Amino acid sequence: MQKLVLYSTLAFSLALIVFACSKDKYQDKPTVEVTSINPGQVPLNSPLEIKMQFTDKQGDLDSIFLHKLRLNSKAKPLIPNNDFKYKLPTFPDKTKGEIKVTLQYALDVVSAQKPDAQAGAPNGYEPDTIAFQIVLKDKKGHTSDTTVTDKIVVERVP
């Protein structure tokens, strides 16, 4: 009987410690999750909009970093602008919210320098297939885990 009481007390104490240690909803490092990409297939000269949800315990987000990945199987010389850093505007400290990034077609979205002709492709040229790796940083230097967007198809002309 004494062992049963001892084990019950230990189990209750352990449960209490686990519950007490997990009372904070958010971690020190920010989190980011892509909620929408619009459009999923980018027409010529159209912007690309990426919406994300974030959480941050202190609500002190500072910057967002995007790295463009070209996913086409055929290697091509790339346009050199593959990394983007945006300073987030000052806004009241929020532990949760939405971030929207709008990328311009020619400056930010196009990947290969010269697309090859491809029968049946939009506009007759091989589209770029890309994805973005995204990381948030807060003012204390904490960075989120890297999240990756779904594939994005970018229509091309030479």
Side-chain angles (χ1 to χ4, degrees):
M1 182 70 162
Q2 288 178 340
K3 287 184 181 182
L4 180 61
V5 171
L6 178 63
Y7 291 134
S8 298
T9 304
L10 285 174
F12 178 74
S13 298
L14 183 60
L16 185 62
I17 289 169
V18 169
F19 177 74
C21 291
S22 64
K23 66 181 177 184
D24 289 335
K25 289 196 303 189
Y26 305 126
Q27 301 175 7
D28 283 338
K29 73 178 189 174
T31 65
V32 62
E33 178 185 345
V34 175
T35 55
S36 71
I37 299 171
N38 190 25
Q41 180 160 335
V42 183
L44 291 174
N45 298 315
S46 295
L48 173 68
E49 180 182 275
I50 303 173
K51 288 185 182 178
M52 297 156 273
Q53 290 288 327
F54 73 87
T55 61
D56 183 51
K57 185 175 182 177
Q58 291 82 20
D60 62 344
L61 291 181
D62 178 67
S63 311
I64 184 166
F65 299 89
L66 288 87
H67 175 73
K68 181 172 46 179
L69 302 168
R70 185 168 189 268
L71 304 175
N72 296 54
S73 58
K74 186 186 237 181
K76 298 285 293 176
L78 301 179
I79 295 173
N81 61 334
N82 290 316
D83 294 305
F84 310 96
K85 176 184 177 186
Y86 298 101
K87 189 90 168 145
L88 295 174
T90 303
F91 57 90
D93 291 349
K94 292 176 67 176
T95 57
K96 186 174 184 175
E98 182 178 79
I99 297 171
K100 178 175 78 171
V101 174
T102 302
L103 302 169
Q104 299 306 310
Y105 179 86
L107 298 174
D108 308 322
V109 179
V110 169
S111 183
Q113 287 184 7
K114 294 181 182 178
D116 292 333
Q118 184 179 23
N123 308 309
Y125 289 90
E126 177 187 25
D128 285 334
T129 302
I130 62 171
F132 286 93
Q133 294 175 325
I134 302 169
V135 175
L136 287 178
K137 182 176 86 76
D138 69 14
K139 292 177 182 166
K140 292 190 174 134
H142 301 118
T143 57
S144 68
D145 289 337
T146 302
T147 190
V148 181
T149 65
D150 291 336
K151 292 179 183 179
I152 303 162
V153 176
V154 182
E155 295 179 9
R156 297 293 311 275
V157 292

